[in-house]
Amino acid sequence: MGSLLEIQQLSKRFGGLLAVNNVSFVVHAGEILSVIGPNGAGKSTLFKLISSFLRPSEGQVLFQGERISHLAPHLVARKGVVRTFQETTIFKTMTVRDNVIVAHHLRSKANLLDYVTGSSRAKQDLNEFADSADTILKLLNLYESRNELASNLPHGYLRALGIAIGLATGPAIILLDEPFAGMNHEETMRAVEMVRRVRDRGVTILLVEHDMHAVMKISDRIVVLNFGEQIAEGTPEQIRQNEKVIEAYLGVEDESIGM
């Protein structure tokens, strides 16, 4: 597997608070890499740095060898690094299918005037986006709900729709923010299989998650943060046995880190 995304000595300060401190790791093409850590470990800040919603105080992010940490978030997304936002990007008054069609806008060949005038280029875009949306919905087992209003979807389906919206942009790597949060065991296992199908479709996965059972089941590798610092990196088995990880989770039941 080749290097797709490189996090190089990344740090972020908020006044006197060092939220992320000198973090470095590589995401390989075709893998599922999870970032874990106790509350306040810096996981969310790291995600915002990678997707350019925050600028680093030090360090840089490289995508396919190109520095992207100075770019605006929409330009980073155009290059293929896309972050999901749970339910905040979903239009609740639109159907599931229309949500995914609209999310294809980053891939438009037509301009605004084309859409206003209904040009052949705009019509071609819309036909392609509709076909692509149906393919994505089938992949994520949402096709039967395609005509349902998003506001009527249960929690697990809303999470799947958030991922579908991310896939509509045509990402090379997708950053999933707690994709299993709020799910029971059965729902989580279905979501785990869904994320694997996304990876098998050729999309690399980087995720932040608190559900350690799901993390240990799904991950090829895991990066562990604590108080903004990277304390471990390795396979699920290596992480289970790492003394620094066990110490960071002291006061938490062993089962929470898959032990």
Side-chain angles (χ1 to χ4, degrees), residues 1-44:
M1 291 187 293
S3 169
L4 183 67
L5 190 74
E6 296 181 48
I7 314 305
Q8 296 184 342
Q9 299 176 312
L10 211 57
S11 296
K12 181 62 181 179
R13 292 184 178 85
F14 297 99
L17 173 66
L18 190 56
V20 173
N21 184 15
N22 196 32
V23 170
S24 298
F25 61 89
V26 171
V27 185
H28 301 296
E31 76 173 337
I32 299 175
L33 188 145
S34 297
V35 178
I36 67 171
N39 288 332
K43 304 183 297 296
S44 295

Side-chain angles (χ1 to χ4, degrees), residues 19-216:
V20 173
N21 184 15
N22 196 32
V23 170
S24 298
F25 61 89
V26 171
V27 185
H28 301 296
E31 76 173 337
I32 299 175
L33 188 145
S34 297
V35 178
I36 67 171
N39 288 332
K43 304 183 297 296
S44 295
T45 300
L46 177 64
F47 251 38
K48 290 175 183 176
L49 291 168
I50 293 172
S51 53
S52 267
F53 283 86
L54 286 175
R55 296 291 174 90
S57 301
E58 285 97 25
Q60 61 183 358
V61 179
L62 302 181
F63 174 64
Q64 295 180 328
E66 177 187 355
R67 184 167 72 95
I68 61 170
S69 41
H70 66 297
L71 298 176
H74 72 280
L75 296 177
V76 171
R78 281 186 184 276
K79 287 183 176 295
V81 181
V82 174
R83 179 189 174 193
T84 64
F85 290 91
Q86 298 182 11
E87 298 177 21
T88 58
T89 56
I90 295 171
F91 295 102
K92 296 290 186 70
T93 58
M94 293 172 58
T95 67
V96 168
R97 187 171 186 260
D98 284 344
N99 263 277
V100 181
I101 290 173
V102 168
H104 284 77
H105 70 278
L106 284 177
R107 296 160 62 178
S108 294
K109 299 181 182 71
N111 58 36
L112 180 60
L113 181 61
D114 288 324
Y115 284 108
V116 170
T117 60
S119 73
S120 59
R121 186 162 52 176
K123 291 175 182 177
Q124 182 180 352
D125 269 358
L126 291 174
N127 288 335
E128 290 177 358
F129 296 166
D131 289 343
S132 174
D134 287 342
T135 298
I136 291 169
L137 292 173
K138 289 173 183 176
L139 175 73
L140 301 183
N141 292 333
L142 286 171
Y143 188 72
E144 296 303 317
S145 303
R146 65 191 180 279
N147 295 320
E148 190 75 54
L149 289 179
S151 59
N152 295 335
L153 292 180
H155 176 74
Y157 281 66
L158 278 172
R159 290 300 177 92
L161 179 55
I163 295 174
I165 288 170
L167 288 178
T169 66
I173 180 169
I174 191 165
L175 283 61
L176 303 180
D177 185 5
E178 298 188 29
F180 314 124
M183 296 184 184
N184 61 35
H185 178 73
E186 182 179 344
E187 291 170 333
T188 299
M189 290 303 100
R190 285 200 298 266
V192 164
E193 292 307 313
M194 176 184 67
V195 172
R196 282 183 175 148
R197 288 197 300 274
V198 171
R199 188 270 303 273
D200 293 344
R201 191 176 185 257
V203 180
T204 301
I205 307 291
L206 177 62
L207 64 89
V208 163
E209 183 54 58
H210 286 287
D211 187 327
M212 291 300 101
H213 289 293
V215 165
M216 293 296 171

Side-chain angles (χ1 to χ4, degrees), residues 212-223:
M212 291 300 101
H213 289 293
V215 165
M216 293 296 171
K217 186 175 182 65
I218 199 174
S219 305
D220 296 306
R221 291 188 301 122
I222 299 170
V223 170

